Amino acid sequence: MNHSYLDHITITTPTLEAGARFVEQALGAIPQRGGEHPKMGTHNLFLRLGDSTFLEIIACNPNAKKPEKPRWFALDDINKDTLPQLKTWVARTENIHSVLESTSEPLGEIESMSRGGSNWLITIPRNGSIPFNGGAPALIQWQMKEHPAQNLKDFGLSLSKLQICHPEPERLAKLLGSINLKDKIDILHGVETKLTAFIDTPNGIREINV
């Protein structure tokens, strides 16, 4: 049976600078430069949250050509006044095709991606939207020997818990069961979708949301 695991949490932001300030104020650590995604016209920053978990800050790259298709993570909907936000998350698997076939809800189409020396497969809805408004994960399959978190600076941070409020918690729970997610996600009922990450830091538990 193919399993999936919480791989990283994703903050969308108008600019990487705004996202970095948001994360530094919340966690007291400076995110590390990631790279560019030529296929999507985006770039990112990283913060290690464990041996195989990280926080990603992602934004449209102002120096890149706009892609022909919609950008991932609904980044085309962000404007300069949009606040950085913990918008969604990504689940890792070793067989993305098999896991995607078993999902109870559509998560998008499998695309091949690269950034520098990193290569992976990831699910992206054709219209660039975020499934379940961020409650459901994108699926990812890394195509390198080492997980990207291994090469990030260790600030002593770790992801303690991910909490998701959603208008249809039972439906979301069924979806996470269908991808055989092995990490526990707290799913609560909420009028709107909201993600909250509880991060263990040297100064105690801190929260990342909006």
Side-chain angles (χ1 to χ4, degrees):
M1 181 177 291
N2 296 297
H3 299 151
S4 61
Y5 304 86
L6 196 160
D7 189 80
H8 60 277
I9 57 177
T10 298
I11 291 173
T12 58
T13 175
T15 67
L16 291 186
E17 293 75 17
R21 287 194 299 270
F22 171 70
V23 169
E24 185 177 2
Q25 289 171 3
L27 302 179
I30 299 174
Q32 186 174 327
R33 178 67 61 177
E36 300 182 357
H37 313 103
K39 196 171 182 179
M40 283 290 153
T42 58
H43 55 175
N44 63 4
L45 300 172
F46 291 134
L47 196 59
R48 178 175 173 144
L49 297 179
D51 291 340
S52 56
T53 311
F54 61 89
L55 178 153
E56 175 188 35
I57 301 167
I58 191 165
C60 295
N61 184 351
N63 299 316
K65 180 181 178 182
K66 185 176 181 179
E68 295 181 0
K69 62 174 64 179
R71 292 181 176 94
W72 50 8
F73 303 122
L75 287 172
D76 288 325
D77 297 335
I78 290 179
N79 59 53
K80 63 181 179 63
D81 297 319
T82 304
L83 295 174
Q85 180 180 4
L86 176 56
K87 191 61 181 176
T88 189
W89 58 291
V90 178
R92 179 180 70 256
T93 178
E94 293 185 359
N95 191 332
I96 192 170
H97 293 88
S98 178
V99 172
L100 184 60
E101 287 178 359
S102 71
T103 59
S104 61
E105 303 282 347
L107 295 180
E109 300 176 351
I110 297 173
E111 297 265 5
S112 61
M113 288 289 161
S114 64
R115 183 196 63 251
S118 299
N119 298 283
W120 65 94
L121 302 175
I122 189 167
T123 55
I124 307 172
R126 186 173 295 181
N127 62 1
S129 64
I130 303 177
F132 277 63
N133 197 30
L139 298 176
I140 196 168
Q141 180 179 341
W142 295 107
Q143 298 180 305
M144 310 94 68
K145 290 183 179 180
E146 279 193 331
H147 190 275
Q150 297 285 333
N151 298 315
L152 299 176
K153 184 175 180 179
D154 190 351
F155 289 98
L157 307 177
S158 62
L159 178 62
S160 175
K161 178 174 67 173
L162 179 63
Q163 177 182 284
I164 303 174
C165 293
H166 193 272
E168 299 180 276
E170 295 85 3
R171 188 176 163 199
L172 179 56
K174 180 181 178 181
L175 169 60
L176 301 189
S178 73
I179 65 172
N180 203 16
L181 184 73
K182 306 314 289 183
D183 295 295
K184 185 177 183 299
I185 306 289
D186 284 353
I187 303 174
L188 306 176
H189 179 269
V191 177
E192 297 180 346
T193 304
K194 180 181 179 181
L195 279 65
T196 303
F198 296 84
I199 311 293
D200 193 4
T201 80
N203 297 311
I205 295 288
R206 300 284 182 85
E207 295 182 20
I208 283 277
N209 40 51
V210 178

